[in-house]
Amino acid sequence: QTVVTQEPTFSVSPGGTVTLTCGLSSGSVSTTYYPSWYQQTPGQAPRTLIYDTSTRSSGVPDRFSGSILGNNAALTITGAQADDESDYYCLLYMGSGIWMFGGGTKLTVL
Amino acid sequence: QVQLQESGPGLVKTSETLSLTCSVSGGSINSDYWSWIRQSPGKGLEWIGCVHYTGSISYNPSLRSRVTISVATSRTQFSLRLTSVTAADTAVYYCAKYYCINDVCRGFDYWGQGALVTVSS
């Protein structure tokens, strides 16, 4: 069974730029997987950042952007801030009505 | 602004049935798709399944034999039933709304706050 892959951990310096990726254990992610991205801090519900590959959800600052990079979906954060320190999850449409989350990336800002 | 709120028992006995309801306000359930997601303690998000008000339903293959998602006749709620629960089903359960265009869904746009359900004997 194909699984959705994400980097388990990542770190970025304050003010820096980081790109998190979302891939497949077999195959390449394209726009037809409708990748979306969610931010979650401990004890809170997920917050939608990006849907449909690159559309920012309402109220999400433009330093968050989504794209397809090579074989993966990507979430890029520019000008990282301390409160960007969170878990980030991607979600892909696998076909036949089935959706699958990646395992999540724990982002540290230091 | 759509708002979602999960409700249901916070404690369920092993082997019994977990039942949760998601109440929708600020929007119509007669559009888009609606979903349940869960998160076990210290773990990642797991997609459980989704439903459209027309009755179209999809389930996570790993849970399909035990899960039922449905839209209530009130059309302001949808529900989750998970049978034969074990400690592994202990999780925070979230309901969420898909953002869809022409019935093609592109991710979630709204989430509930989540409801912790503990399974214990």
Side-chain angles (χ1 to χ4, degrees):
Chain A
Q1 181 190 351
T2 300
V3 298
V4 179
T5 61
Q6 295 184 248
E7 300 90 354
T9 61
F10 225 116
S11 64
V12 62
S13 300
T17 295
V18 62
T19 297
L20 311 182
T21 67
C22 176
L24 295 169
S25 58
S26 176
S28 300
V29 177
S30 65
T31 56
T32 61
Y33 283 82
Y34 300 104
S36 52
W37 293 90
Y38 306 90
Q39 178 190 47
Q40 188 182 37
T41 53
Q44 299 297 312
R47 169 199 182 197
T48 299
L49 295 175
I50 301 286
Y51 52 79
D52 199 7
T53 304
S54 59
T55 303
R56 269 186 299 276
S57 185
S58 176
V60 174
D62 59 8
R63 54 196 188 80
F64 290 91
S65 61
S67 64
I68 299 292
L69 284 179
N71 298 325
N72 301 316
L75 174 71
T76 299
I77 307 172
T78 58
Q81 301 178 359
D83 61 3
D84 294 335
E85 187 161 292
S86 303
D87 295 326
Y88 292 85
Y89 293 92
C90 67
L91 174 68
L92 299 180
Y93 179 61
M94 307 302 286
S96 302
I98 306 300
W99 295 76
M100 186 179 294
F101 283 101
T105 297
K106 183 177 184 62
L107 179 67
T108 301
V109 180
L110 53 71
Chain B
Q1 179 85 351
V2 175
Q3 293 185 313
L4 299 94
Q5 179 67 60
E6 304 88 351
S7 60
L11 182 64
V12 180
K13 291 186 182 300
T14 303
S15 79
E16 295 191 346
T17 296
L18 178 159
S19 295
L20 291 172
T21 297
C22 182
S23 297
V24 179
S25 60
S28 173
I29 206 167
N30 291 339
S31 66
D32 296 324
Y33 285 76
W34 307 82
S35 184
W36 286 97
I37 301 102
R38 71 179 182 179
Q39 186 171 36
S40 300
K43 303 295 186 183
L45 300 171
E46 180 179 27
W47 180 81
I48 298 172
C50 63
V51 64
H52 191 257
Y53 78 98
T54 57
S56 174
I57 299 173
S58 295
Y59 296 129
N60 186 323
S62 68
L63 298 169
R64 182 175 290 140
S65 64
R66 298 192 295 128
V67 68
T68 303
I69 297 174
S70 59
V71 173
T73 53
S74 66
R75 297 291 199 211
T76 61
Q77 297 177 326
F78 62 105
S79 65
L80 169 70
R81 291 182 74 248
L82 185 66
T83 62
S84 304
V85 297
T86 69
D89 296 308
T90 293
V92 175
Y93 286 78
Y94 296 100
C95 58
K97 174 188 166 300
Y98 281 95
Y99 174 77
C100 306
I101 299 175
N102 296 329
D103 271 354
V104 176
C105 296
R106 297 147 197 270
F108 300 120
D109 52 2
Y110 294 100
W111 293 74
Q113 295 176 331
L116 173 62
V117 179
T118 302
V119 178
S120 174
S121 57

